Amino acid sequence: SAVGCGVTLAEKPYQMKPVEGKRQGKMANPPAILDPHSPELMLEEVGPDEAVLEQCGRYVLKFVDSKTRELLDFWIYNAFSDKTLEKLITHHSLLKKVKKIKRGHQFDYYSQGSMRCVGFRMAQGGRVADAYAMYEGMGASNAQSIHALLNHAEDDSILFLTAKAAHQGLCSQLKPEPLADNGFGITAATQYACDNYTSPLHSDKDAVHSLCAQYELKAEPKEYSFIFAEYRKYVVSRANSLWSFDGSQVHGTMLPSTQPLHSGNRISSGTHMTITRKNWAAAAKYEQVRHTNTLRGKYWEEMQ
């Protein structure tokens, strides 16, 4: 299995080295770094038609099941207007003070950058009596966290409505009826704000299809491309992109070269928007508790 392996087009002397840390002792040999066109992967490169993108100002890729003709996923180049993109980047930059999260063992060797969460979650461990609640820094206890909440709601709406134009059926998953009152914005999804973030091939325990957005990108061509391993494709990412994918399927990021850019530092910023199975179960449980509490209140009112 290629799960846990890094994928890169960089020449061998400039390939990312396995990350050293406390947990790596559990594996004697780190997973390999693979070329996307190697026999193990045989990935096909996908990108926009430059002529169409230039003439129309937007280009939409769609992944369709060859047998059923069902629309599976999409990728939009130039997804947002300049004004909207600027707003998303500004909101993203304000999340720098939100606490970073730690990823699981799949990410031990070939992950870099940071990921910060915005929205609701069910903690892995957590504080005493911790439960389904907002991430730290989102508690509306001061002006900064209130702005973070409102920015999150606006970003949620922008991403959802843009994606809905490309794939309405998929977007309905992000606002399921059982979780209708658990979101802050249009959907019930949690957002994961990423900066210079890369990951090896892995799968997530998501309950729904995910949305991803690339806000900024300054890198060598094809670095930070998104890998749809199940489709045997990698899509060349660009700034101002929005796409969908099934997180429960194997996916990952094209690792950048360690060779410095001639024009400054690499920049890759964006967000990942999904509902994990754990959060879904917790949200559904708390929704039932609220519903039962309402019924109990009505019962006692009628009894008086």
Side-chain angles (χ1 to χ4, degrees):
S1 173
V3 172
C5 292
V7 182
T8 187
L9 285 163
E11 296 178 6
K12 192 149 191 169
Y14 305 110
Q15 291 180 357
M16 180 180 173
K17 299 295 188 292
V19 177
E20 296 182 1
K22 295 179 180 178
R23 298 193 301 198
Q24 278 79 327
K26 295 183 179 181
M27 296 180 68
N29 299 308
I33 285 271
L34 301 175
D35 184 287
H37 307 116
S38 66
E40 295 91 338
L41 296 179
M42 295 187 294
L43 301 179
E44 178 187 357
E45 177 187 327
V46 180
D49 184 311
E50 298 296 346
V52 174
L53 185 60
E54 176 68 25
Q55 183 174 354
C56 301
R58 176 177 284 188
Y59 190 83
V60 181
L61 290 167
K62 292 190 175 182
F63 296 92
V64 178
D65 188 296
S66 59
K67 295 181 180 179
T68 66
R69 309 310 299 169
E70 176 190 2
L71 176 59
L72 302 173
D73 287 299
F74 67 88
W75 187 295
I76 307 175
Y77 289 97
N78 283 359
F80 312 107
S81 68
D82 291 343
K83 184 177 180 180
T84 299
L85 180 61
E86 183 180 358
K87 178 182 292 184
L88 291 168
I89 292 172
T90 299
H91 291 177
H92 182 89
S93 67
L94 294 174
L95 292 173
K96 299 288 187 182
K97 294 183 180 179
V98 174
K99 186 178 179 181
K100 293 186 289 186
I101 65 167
K102 296 179 181 179
R103 303 305 305 267
H105 287 287
Q106 294 181 103
F107 301 83
D108 276 354
Y109 288 97
Y110 298 113
S111 181
Q112 65 180 16
S114 65
M115 179 180 279
R116 293 173 170 82
C117 296
V118 186
F120 290 88
R121 96 288 185 259
M122 187 68 194
Q124 287 279 68
R127 302 172 293 275
V128 175
D130 203 353
Y132 184 66
M134 278 284 187
Y135 275 96
E136 188 174 335
M138 300 291 295
S141 58
N142 52 45
Q144 179 179 316
S145 60
I146 291 171
H147 283 299
L149 276 173
L150 296 175
N151 291 344
H152 166 61
E154 186 172 15
D155 294 351
D156 176 278
S157 301
I158 291 170
L159 298 176
F160 176 83
L161 293 174
T162 304
K164 187 177 180 182
H167 197 330
Q168 185 169 356
L170 180 152
C171 288
S172 64
Q173 296 180 28
L174 293 169
K175 46 181 301 185
E177 188 60 35
L179 313 186
D181 298 326
N182 285 276
F184 199 81
I186 292 179
T187 81
T190 299
Q191 288 183 35
Y192 301 82
C194 305
D195 284 287
N196 291 347
Y197 182 77
T198 63
S199 69
L201 293 174
H202 69 284
S203 60
D204 298 313
K205 296 178 181 179
D206 291 343
V208 300
H209 261 63
S210 303
L211 295 179
C212 264
Q214 181 89 56
Y215 296 151
E216 302 170 284
L217 184 60
K218 181 182 177 184
E220 293 292 346
K222 304 177 188 178
E223 291 182 341
Y224 298 97
S225 294
F226 189 84
I227 300 167
F228 294 85
E230 300 288 335
Y231 301 159
R232 298 283 183 178
K233 313 283 186 190
Y234 69 88
V235 180
V236 179
S237 190
R238 293 187 182 177
N240 198 4
S241 292
L242 177 70
W243 68 96
S244 70
F245 71 99
D246 184 347
S248 65
Q249 296 181 343
V250 178
H251 59 281
T253 316
M254 192 74 72
L255 302 178
S257 168
T258 59
Q259 192 172 26
L261 290 179
H262 296 298
S263 56
N265 297 325
R266 285 175 172 80
I267 298 173
S268 175
S269 71
T271 195
H272 171 205
M273 181 171 160
T274 192
I275 305 173
T276 66
R277 295 176 198 166
K278 182 175 61 176
N279 286 350
W280 179 295
K285 173 185 174 182
Y286 279 82
E287 179 66 21
Q288 182 60 43
V289 170
R290 283 194 290 268
H291 178 67
T292 303
N293 186 62
T294 301
L295 293 178
R296 185 183 298 112
K298 289 182 178 179
Y299 172 79
W300 284 109
E301 287 178 4
E302 292 171 0
M303 292 293 291
Q304 291 177 354

